[in-house]
Amino acid sequence: MNVKTVLILLGLALATIFALVCVLLTRGRAPSTCQHLPTEQEDTEDGQSLVFADLTPEEMAQVVQYLQGNLGVQLVDASRAKPSDNCIASVDLQVPAKAEVLRFLDGGGARPAREALAVLYFGNQPDPNVTEYVVGPLPTPVYHQDVTVQKYGGKVPYHRRPVTGKEYMDINTLIRRELKKAPQFLTTCCESDGTDLAILTTAPRGFKSGDRTTWFVLFHNVAGTGYYLSPVGLEVLVEHRDLHASRWQLRKVFYNGRYFASTEDLEQEFLAHTLEVVRLKKPQADAVLGSMRPRYPPDSLGPLQFEPQGPRYSVRGNRVTYQGWSITFGMNPNSGPRLFDIRYRGERIVYELSLQEALALYGSNCPGGMSTRYLDGSFGIGRFAYELVRGVDCPYTATYVDRHYLAESDTPKTNQNSLCIFEHDSALPLRRHFSDSQSFYYGGLRKNTLVIRTISTLVNYDYIWDFMFHGSGAVEVRVHATGYISTSFLHGQGTNYGNRVGPHTLGTMHFHHMHYKVDLDVDGQLNFLETQDMEYEIIKDPWSTQNTIERPYLRRKRLEREDEAAFPLNAPLPRYLSFASPNPNKWGHPRSYRIQIISFAGKHLPINSSMERSVSWGRYQLAVTQRKEEEPTSTSIYNQNDPWTPTVAFANFINNETITNKDLVAWISVGFLHVPHAEDVPNTVAVGNSVGFFLRPYNYFNEDPSVDSPGSVYFSSEQDTRACGANPLACLPTTAACAPHLPPFHFGGFLNVSLAPPFGGV
């Protein structure tokens, strides 16, 4: 063997030794980077979910351009339109008819035409009104159809239109002009000249159809904190029905328990020393009631949720898939989040799951508070779902999605990162058992859930809208309420209507009431409604007949008519209530999905109230009706400003039609009574302030579908639980040893927020 060969062999030996040393040194250590698994690919769909997709900014712009060129009237941009102008109020997706969609999705039919629904305010014509047009086909429209009469049975009177930002600005100008007539009073009561006070609207606006007279409540305003906790005791009533702002008038003034005809009268009473004035110091930023500024420096970092091998869900366009689930999501600018075509293991469970309305009804001994019944859909539940804060509103590593809308402007706007999607580890087993009898083993599965979330800020309140999808085949819908409480100035017997939460601040009692549409298609479109509950029967014991037993038995009932399936609010609800298919499972029971409601609702408005029909959906915690294309929503944005003659009255949907083997819809109400207390300052906390409902499989499957989850854990006493092959939990030290690469924090949520908010404002 020559020297050259020896050197070559020696080099190879050294290289081998070096490689072995590297392997030994790195054994058990975390890999340098996280090894992401391929994203779940459930099924290949060729854009079918796009039939439900929200309009793109480009499509919205095309609709605006078409309307401007084809209506034959002058249209003013809604952001600056006066009530006497014509303008485009909003443009949104016109959801196709269900029959057309199902022919396309399931029957190989043609894709339905993509259309928009445009709402226009016609103030510059002899008969001012609100008109709705279907415009299509997109992306290049060539036709428009007036569908107002078809939808509502007649024209929509002009006074029913929601108040625009421009109208609020003009009202604010009027109020500030009137406040100048009481300068000495304002200086004494509030250390203000009126220009620095915040102005907040109430609703509805009067007591009968045609009224447009609104109470506005005034607050001390401090930059960087919620003014809602600092009422100054002054409220004004403005009549703004006339199409010309110059003719609007201040009709009444309220201060500290007394009513006045005008601000001049208020000033005269003050100067005559016949007015009891509560002298308020102008609050300072460092001591204002309700400041959310941190009081202490940041502490150590809390737990952080991340996916060591990448997300186990996939988001493509408006569709998300996750461990057997497939969901199409979107956002209505008025009513908020809406989901379509929810499938589990390839089978459609829900055709539509959408928020319909959120009602907040207040009590107070001040006029603004006592008359407030906010119907938030009229203001824009979806429109005011702003950018989510990464790491607080949603997990830091969640997937964030932009939402686009066109409202009160000819230009589309984007709320970036305003919807988030993430998998949530609840730190709770979905199911588990430890066996200490006959044989020793453990079996379990972590409760991981896919969450679709958005958060709406509606003046003072923030509503967290959650839609959750579980490995058991269950759907969970939940809403949390947080944000600032609405308050009144504390005077007289104010604590009959809430609790004192500040020196002169009354936290006013109110209830929140939310309404959802759930179009369940359980093993097909044709379903029936079945209830099950328990009763006791007293029997002699069969083995001796000398003793008695109270034996529970199951009482089943099939509901045949809509009237039977309309369950009044706060009345006992059958403990088991299911949408059932005529088709049985393996064990002979109808394949079903159970509706389980979790709610603590306050009392509904008395039926004899003049505005009750506008919120008549609130009569029922659950109502099941035949699905009809002409009953797409339980309310209307026009109900807020004319609740006395509602454009849509849900009570009309219930007319005792058969609900046996029909396409059915469940209309679900959830809510809670809120009596504000000291701990609601600065904000109401989400803990304990959440309600919702479940859709749970009930004999739909032959067994719990989560048994097929790849995340299941099982080991026996005869196995080495430290072995990765026997126990996937033993793999965690290596698979989860690397830290995720977190994106840099960014927030642009203030970009689309005006300093003159559309609810009165500053």
Side-chain angles (χ1 to χ4, degrees), residues 188-208:
T188 303
C189 85
C190 314
E191 295 186 353
S192 170
D193 63 358
T195 60
D196 57 351
L197 297 179
I199 304 170
L200 180 63
T201 189
T202 64
R205 309 179 190 280
F207 288 98
K208 64 182 186 304

Side-chain angles (χ1 to χ4, degrees), residues 65-87:
Q65 182 178 342
Y66 171 83
L67 292 172
Q68 290 172 336
N70 290 273
L71 292 185
V73 297
Q74 181 182 6
L75 295 175
V76 178
D77 191 302
S79 62
R80 52 184 174 82
K82 302 184 293 293
S84 56
D85 290 326
N86 304 321
C87 68

Side-chain angles (χ1 to χ4, degrees), residues 61 122-123 137 255 286 317 385 408 423 473 493 507 538 605 654 700 743:
F122 288 115
Y255 176 72
D286 58 350
E408 294 189 34
E423 183 180 2
Q493 302 300 311
I538 301 176
L605 270 177
I654 302 171
Y700 186 85

Side-chain angles (χ1 to χ4, degrees), residues 136-172:
L138 301 179
T140 308
V142 296
Y143 60 81
H144 62 281
Q145 178 187 0
D146 184 344
V147 295
T148 316
V149 175
Q150 174 187 332
K151 288 179 66 174
Y152 305 119
K155 291 184 177 181
V156 175
Y158 199 53
H159 67 265
R160 295 184 188 174
R161 72 193 187 283
V163 177
T164 65
K166 176 63 166 64
E167 188 173 351
Y168 279 124
M169 291 173 65
D170 291 342
I171 292 170
N172 288 358

